[in-house]
Amino acid sequence: MRGTALAAATMAGVLTLAGCAKDTGGGSSNNTAAAGSSGSSCVTAPKPPAAPAAATTSSSSGEKVDGSKLKVGLAFDIGGRGDASFNDAAAAGVDKAKSELGITTVSESTASPSESESAKQQRLEQMASQGLNPIIAVGFAYAPSVAAVAPKHPNTRFAIVDDDTIKLPNVTPLVFAEEQGSFLAGVAAVYKSKNCHIGFVGGVNTPLIQKFEAGYLQGARAVSNKVKIEDEYLTPAGDFSGFQDPAKGNVKAAAEINNGADVIYHAAGASGKGVFDAAKTSGKALAIGVDSDQYNQATVAADKDIILTSMMKRVDVAVFDFLQANAKGDLSVLPQRFDLKVDGVGYATSGGKVDDIKDVLDGYKAQIISGAIQVSDKPTK
């Protein structure tokens, strides 16, 4: 998601509501009222045409590649491995590369919430000096550091997630169409809202997180001309604590629920746990995760029964594909942007809470892939 600095994929994969009478969300009966159904009275748009078969293509070739000679450096954003979101998605991509490509050497390091730019540069410089190659910087916050360190190590391959401003031959951008996946999250929220009232909680008000917000708002409004939307951020641009403050996420989500929202989508990194907790405590709301398939994340397992789906920002796919391309010695195979067409973003189905609207979601997905629907990356209030 952010880059909180990400995501979705991550975020990610998470979704599925096989009808509220059949499934109340993992066995918790106090959330039945929020479960909704595919016949939600909030929906005012006609059902989209059915999606054609094989609307997406995998960005990975599936071929066997030997990556045993790679020595990988993984520089996490704040929250690091275990954030149940953006960083965990990156970690999952590296873990898959260990299993499928035979990579054995991986060095990980995590940024602190208030660390200086020099600390980020030192982290990357140390990795490069130790002979790690390639090095993956997880999040746009690393852009100045990658721009400073990469030219000093021209034979080291760098990748940076969520930034495409660095025009150096040894730097590969891994960027996503977060707005496309978030559009589907907005559709799911409306279809599952009992109150025709939904919410968004962003971590930090940056252009990147605004892409999540923009898609969500557009998707919701595409299926309903009467839906009411709560739309809030935890912190302003420059204050990255919004990605790691579950307490603040809880307060903000609780306020939206008290105002009537019964489905809340977060793009707030580790702060999303607070959003989930608020939905669970309310007994009348569902939540949508981000980046990773948060239904299956151990750190939010206590709240899995209220997780409707997750917007999957497949940082794991991008990281794995980057490592695979390095092992092959051919980075040209990577897509310029990880979007719906290459499964770079999407929605998760874990938990079964969107099974009954999967045809709807896939119909809109196909329209986005074909270009029939253009999703904006700038929010319209």
Side-chain angles (χ1 to χ4, degrees), residues 39 43 67 81 103 117 135 138 144 158 167 265 279 297 317 321 327:
V43 176
R81 185 185 281 268
I103 294 173
E117 182 58 37
I135 295 170
V138 185
F158 291 81
K167 309 304 181 184
Y265 174 40
Q297 289 283 352
V317 169
D321 286 1

Side-chain angles (χ1 to χ4, degrees), residues 327-338:
K328 290 175 59 178
D330 183 9
L331 295 177
S332 69
V333 300
L334 294 172
Q336 290 189 335
R337 190 169 72 139
F338 289 84

Side-chain angles (χ1 to χ4, degrees), residues 16-332:
T16 322
L17 191 16
C20 65
K22 178 181 177 183
D23 186 317
T24 62
S28 176
S29 60
N30 65 341
N31 288 294
T32 305
S37 72
S38 59
S40 172
S41 60
C42 188
V43 176
T44 58
K47 190 175 179 179
T56 61
T57 60
S58 174
S59 58
S60 297
S61 65
E63 64 183 294
K64 289 293 184 181
V65 178
D66 180 11
S68 60
K69 293 182 180 179
L70 299 182
K71 298 180 178 180
V72 179
L74 186 58
F76 286 121
D77 193 8
I78 56 175
R81 185 185 281 268
D83 73 343
S85 187
F86 183 77
N87 288 293
D88 268 355
V94 172
D95 291 345
K96 180 181 179 183
K98 288 180 181 178
S99 172
E100 297 189 13
L101 305 180
I103 294 173
T104 58
T105 301
V106 177
S107 178
E108 300 180 358
S109 183
T110 302
S112 61
S114 58
E115 75 176 14
S116 64
E117 182 58 37
S118 62
K120 286 184 172 62
Q121 287 193 28
Q122 183 178 10
R123 177 176 297 110
L124 298 181
E125 180 65 47
Q126 184 176 28
M127 286 181 171
S129 298
Q130 290 173 344
L132 298 175
N133 186 13
I135 295 170
I136 302 165
V138 185
F140 62 80
Y142 277 101
S145 297
V146 172
V149 175
K152 301 177 185 178
H153 302 273
N155 295 322
T156 300
R157 288 284 181 183
F158 291 81
I160 180 167
V161 177
D162 284 343
D163 181 87
D164 60 1
T165 64
I166 305 169
K167 309 304 181 184
L168 293 171
N170 62 330
V171 177
T172 300
L174 303 176
V175 293
F176 302 81
E178 294 92 348
E179 70 279 4
Q180 292 183 358
S182 296
F183 183 103
L184 301 181
V187 172
V190 169
Y191 266 81
K192 294 302 175 179
S193 175
K194 295 282 286 185
N195 299 338
C196 203
H197 193 162
I198 63 176
F200 173 81
V201 175
V204 182
N205 195 349
T206 64
L208 176 64
I209 304 305
Q210 288 170 10
K211 292 171 69 177
F212 294 83
E213 176 192 15
Y216 184 67
L217 298 181
Q218 186 177 340
R221 291 167 179 158
V223 296
S224 177
N225 59 20
K226 60 183 182 179
V227 64
K228 184 173 181 180
I229 307 173
E230 304 289 324
D231 188 4
E232 301 286 345
Y233 281 89
L234 300 183
T235 57
D239 180 358
F240 291 101
S241 67
F243 290 135
Q244 202 178 22
D245 193 339
K248 188 173 288 186
N250 188 305
V251 170
K252 189 69 71 174
E256 293 190 357
I257 293 168
N258 286 339
N259 285 341
D262 59 3
V263 182
I264 309 291
Y265 174 40
H266 90 83
S271 300
K273 186 179 187 311
V275 175
F276 293 149
D277 289 345
K280 173 91 169 183
T281 300
S282 75
K284 56 185 178 182
L286 297 172
I288 297 174
V290 76
D291 295 336
S292 301
D293 184 346
Q294 296 204 277
Y295 183 92
N296 291 322
Q297 289 283 352
T299 53
V300 293
D303 296 328
K304 68 189 302 181
D305 60 318
I306 56 82
I307 298 178
L308 173 62
T309 181
S310 292
M311 195 292 281
M312 298 286 286
K313 176 175 174 177
R314 301 304 301 274
V315 177
D316 58 331
V317 169
V319 167
F320 176 83
D321 286 1
F322 172 70
L323 293 174
Q324 184 181 59
N326 270 273
K328 290 175 59 178
D330 183 9
L331 295 177
S332 69

